[in-house]
Amino acid sequence: MQKTSFRSSHWFGGRDRDGFIHRSWMRGFPRDSFDGRPVIGICNTWSELTPCNAHFREIAERVRRGVYEAGGLPLEFPVMSLGETNLRPTAMLYRNLASMDVEESIRGNPIDGVVLLCGCDKTTPSLVMGAASCDVPAIVVSGGPMLNGVFRNERIGSGTIVWQMSEDVRSGKLSMADFMEAEVCMSRSPGHCMTMGTASTMAAMVEALGLGLPHNAAIPAADSRRDTLAQLAGRRIVEMVREDLRISKILTRKNFENAIRVNAAIGGSTNAVIHLLAIARRAGVELRLDDFDRLGSDLPLLVNLQPSGKYLMEDLYYAGGIPAVVRELGDLIHRDAPTVNGKTIGENTRDAPCWNRDVIHTLAEPLKPRAGIAVLRGNLAKNGAVIKPSAATPRLLKHRGRAVVFENIEDLRTRTDSPELAVDENSVMVLKGVGPCGYPGMPEVGNMPLPRKLLERGVTDLVRISDGRMSGTAYGTVVLHVSPESAIGGTLALVQDGDEIELDVPARRLELRVSDDELNRRRAAWIKPAPRASSGYERLYIDHVTQADEGADLDFLAGCRGAAVPRESH
Ligand code: FES
């Protein structure tokens, strides 16, 4: 049964004063533009300050073409754009604010369905969260990854190479001149980070959730097939409006379970945990931190991409993309889960070929066994913490060591390279004050730089623990998202230099080896730090942000508020 009357008719359909006002001010559209056509919002995160999304005007034009072809009326609108590299103090602080912008822009305007143009890390979750809280038909078009970075005939991946090379410079293995030369070789086309960082991970999550067309994640931004996909999405959203295929019909529990499994198989970013939890809460789907461990941690790593492997997103596309990964996962995927093109994910991927088994491995011969994200608990993380074993050093996954504590990132920056720092290869680096409330905004600093004196001795990894996040492009034995965070009095706040910490990933344990009596004494003496903002959005954020294990959304944004037509004001 096709819909023939749309919410936009409440603006444009009346033969009265209000209809006059709404149509007249749109100016320039032929009168029949508004007759019985679905209005499609093109939600654009274009910004020159978000370089990963700087090509979105061209993508929007392709979407517009498709919408017109299918008989819809495309209307593009801007929303807050979050550029990971430029936005301070951290783009994550604004994910929830941008999601509010998206939600209210959709609900308050004559929009029947929406195409979400996403790219850089936080633009994907913020747009999907906002759309999920509105529940209109929605389809995601990702901007696509950059072409492979190439430096002296070697692949170099966004972010990953920066972490590697900056440590090589600090240890004296690489000259500053070489470091500067690599800078221009890494980012050489439009698009987002081309490692399996957070942007690529979230684009893959979009595909696994069924919110994007097949191959949405991996087609490079510079490939003409990205334009084709955008145009097809423009056509399809018009059909979705007519079919009333709203986002709530796509975001089922099965779709989230598929996303968790795909994230494990691709070696996806730990940030996917926080973003999927937040999206699920908006959609009203019951999803918990432990689901990531239960559903994903036993899965092998199939995709050989940096930072867990060696290839990049361009290679993944040529090898068969996410459809080939989903097909390889077989019955581990709910094959009857719905997707935006009206077919199930099983139907979409049934015949998906793999063209390169060194990029996409088989389940029988994976790149690494049991590589999905593990959830840790213990007195140091009562509500949980996460680690990505595929990016860690295997021998450190079971480790006891003495804490070297940094109270905040300024303390870390000041003392990491100090010759006086009491640290050795068995130490456990602990960073406080970088959680959702404490920083505020939970920055990507959990992969703390290793102390220079250890780098010079050839040490390549240490256990690192914090209440912050880590870039999806980063690697190491890094425990993240410790909850409750230090700023609200989690046990992390009580750790002192020299305390023994036990990490046991196989047993899923993270323990501070200090007696309960001593911890109680320290807790009684602990003074809660003053909030870092007294007014403005930052204060709103501090007062309402949830902990990492609940998605770090604002507490009052949970749930779907629908897209009922608001009151007329004229
Ligand atoms: Fe934009 Fe990495 S900085 S995706």
Side-chain angles (χ1 to χ4, degrees):
M1 183 72 176
Q2 296 257 306
K3 263 180 90 165
T4 52
S5 113
F6 310 111
R7 74 189 286 277
S8 59
S9 67
H10 291 269
W11 282 260
F12 299 133
R15 300 287 159 193
D16 56 7
R17 186 196 62 172
D18 292 340
F20 179 109
I21 291 170
H22 293 302
R23 287 187 301 272
S24 174
W25 261 266
M26 291 299 288
R27 67 202 78 179
F29 286 95
R31 181 164 293 178
D32 64 359
S33 296
F34 303 104
D35 291 346
R37 292 171 189 264
V39 174
I40 304 301
I42 303 174
C43 180
N44 201 343
T45 49
W46 171 87
S47 168
E48 287 183 318
L49 291 166
T50 306
C52 306
N53 298 14
H55 58 302
F56 278 21
R57 284 172 161 170
E58 293 80 42
I59 290 184
E61 286 312 308
R62 295 293 177 157
V63 172
R64 190 188 308 278
R65 206 184 271 192
V67 172
Y68 273 129
E69 284 174 340
L73 175 63
L75 296 175
E76 186 181 344
F77 64 100
V79 288
M80 186 180 192
S81 188
L82 308 176
E84 198 64 31
T85 50
N86 287 328
L87 199 53
R88 295 184 179 188
T90 171
M92 182 65 173
L93 176 65
Y94 303 107
R95 182 199 66 179
N96 305 334
L97 179 63
S99 79
M100 283 196 275
D101 182 358
V102 174
E103 177 183 347
E104 303 304 335
S105 293
I106 294 172
R107 186 180 299 112
N109 277 300
I111 288 172
D112 300 308
V114 66
V115 180
L116 307 171
L117 302 190
C118 308
C120 198
D121 294 12
K122 306 301 177 297
T123 58
T124 302
S126 60
L127 267 56
V128 173
M129 288 160 71
S133 282
C134 269
D135 197 20
V136 292
I139 189 167
V140 175
V141 174
S142 298
M146 286 183 257
L147 297 173
N148 289 352
V150 182
F151 177 60
R152 297 179 181 171
N153 209 32
E154 296 280 336
R155 283 180 184 81
I156 57 170
S158 313
T160 304
I161 196 68
V162 181
W163 317 126
Q164 276 170 10
M165 283 188 164
S166 62
E167 304 241 298
D168 287 349
V169 169
R170 290 168 63 236
S171 66
K173 279 197 249 165
L174 188 74
S175 74
M176 185 51 76
D178 288 348
F179 187 57
M180 300 307 282
E181 188 185 336
E183 182 180 309
V184 291
C185 301
M186 188 185 75
S187 308
R188 63 188 189 91
S189 82
H192 59 67
C193 292
M194 80 313 255
T195 40
M196 189 51 81
T198 304
S200 298
T201 298
M202 290 312 295
M205 294 300 89
V206 158
E207 210 172 315
L209 284 169
L211 291 175
L213 295 176
H215 290 292
N216 172 70
I219 302 173
D223 193 310
S224 59
R225 286 165 285 189
R226 174 64 55 186
D227 293 336
T228 308
L229 181 132
Q231 189 164 337
L232 292 173
R235 289 184 191 169
R236 178 62 194 149
I237 188 67
V238 178
E239 295 170 355
M240 288 171 67
V241 171
R242 295 201 168 110
E243 294 164 8
D244 196 28
L245 184 55
R246 284 173 281 121
I247 195 169
S248 61
K249 296 181 184 173
I250 306 289
L251 290 179
T252 72
R253 165 88 193 181
K254 284 183 178 177
N255 294 59
F256 281 98
E257 292 191 357
N258 284 349
I260 290 172
R261 291 203 151 120
V262 169
N263 192 48
I266 64 176
S269 164
T270 46
N271 286 317
V273 177
I274 285 193
H275 298 324
L276 289 174
L277 287 169
I279 294 167
R281 284 168 73 88
R282 297 293 188 97
V285 171
E286 183 75 20
L287 193 71
R288 295 187 177 280
L289 181 60
D290 290 325
D291 288 326
F292 287 82
D293 198 310
R294 192 172 58 77
L295 296 164
S297 63
D298 276 350
L299 262 62
L301 179 66
L302 302 184
V303 172
N304 189 3
L305 253 62
Q306 297 178 26
S308 298
K310 70 175 181 187
Y311 292 102
L312 296 167
M313 287 297 283
E314 190 181 342
D315 306 303
L316 177 62
Y317 179 51
Y318 303 149
I322 297 301
V325 178
V326 171
R327 180 187 181 187
E328 186 58 36
L329 286 171
D331 291 340
L332 291 166
I333 289 289
H334 298 293
R335 309 200 78 76
D336 58 345
T339 78
V340 285
N341 70 357
K343 297 181 183 162
T344 66
I345 198 164
E347 290 168 335
N348 282 337
T349 58
R350 184 184 300 137
D351 302 315
C354 174
W355 303 106
N356 187 337
R357 280 296 175 202
D358 197 33
V359 177
I360 304 172
H361 285 232
T362 61
L363 274 175
E365 291 181 68
L367 187 65
K368 294 179 188 172
R370 300 164 58 91
I373 287 166
V375 175
L376 309 170
R377 286 184 196 275
N379 69 349
L380 199 42
K382 289 206 168 102
N383 295 341
V386 302
I387 187 168
K388 181 175 169 182
S390 68
T393 303
R395 72 177 167 76
L396 289 176
L397 292 173
K398 215 164 157 14
H399 181 78
R400 277 185 184 220
R402 299 278 168 194
V404 178
V405 178
F406 301 93
E407 293 298 325
N408 51 49
I409 59 167
E410 287 76 22
D411 185 27
L412 174 75
R413 291 202 178 112
T414 306
R415 294 196 296 124
T416 310
D417 286 345
S418 163
E420 275 79 55
L421 188 71
V423 65
D424 63 28
E425 52 269 46
N426 293 316
S427 296
V428 175
M429 294 175 75
V430 173
L431 176 59
K432 304 178 186 177
V434 290
C437 290
Y439 183 70
M442 215 183 168
E444 293 184 334
V445 293
N447 55 315
M448 296 163 242
L450 299 183
R452 187 194 298 267
K453 67 181 182 188
L454 295 187
L455 288 171
E456 287 169 351
R457 284 179 13 211
V459 175
T460 56
D461 196 6
L462 287 183
V463 172
R464 288 161 271 180
I465 300 172
S466 76
D467 43 13
R469 297 178 302 118
M470 170 172 90
S471 164
T473 63
Y475 52 87
T477 310
V478 184
V479 176
L480 302 154
H481 310 182
V482 167
S483 174
E485 65 173 293
S486 57
I488 64 167
T491 307
L492 188 68
L494 311 179
V495 183
Q496 296 181 355
D497 278 332
D499 287 349
E500 189 180 57
I501 292 177
E502 181 183 8
L503 170 68
D504 187 341
V505 177
R508 301 294 189 265
R509 276 215 322 274
L510 182 63
E511 300 283 350
L512 180 63
R513 294 280 166 211
V514 171
S515 71
D516 287 347
D517 284 351
E518 171 62 13
L519 284 180
N520 287 338
R521 192 188 62 73
R522 291 183 194 176
R523 189 164 279 117
W526 181 74
I527 298 169
K528 186 174 175 156
R532 291 186 65 91
S534 58
S535 63
Y537 170 71
E538 279 194 37
R539 185 55 198 255
L540 176 85
Y541 181 93
I542 292 167
D543 287 348
H544 291 279
V545 71
T546 62
Q547 289 292 285
D549 60 298
E550 297 184 316
D553 199 1
L554 302 184
D555 51 11
F556 58 83
L557 291 176
C560 172
R561 286 163 283 284
V565 175
R567 287 184 289 169
E568 176 64 273
S569 63
H570 298 108

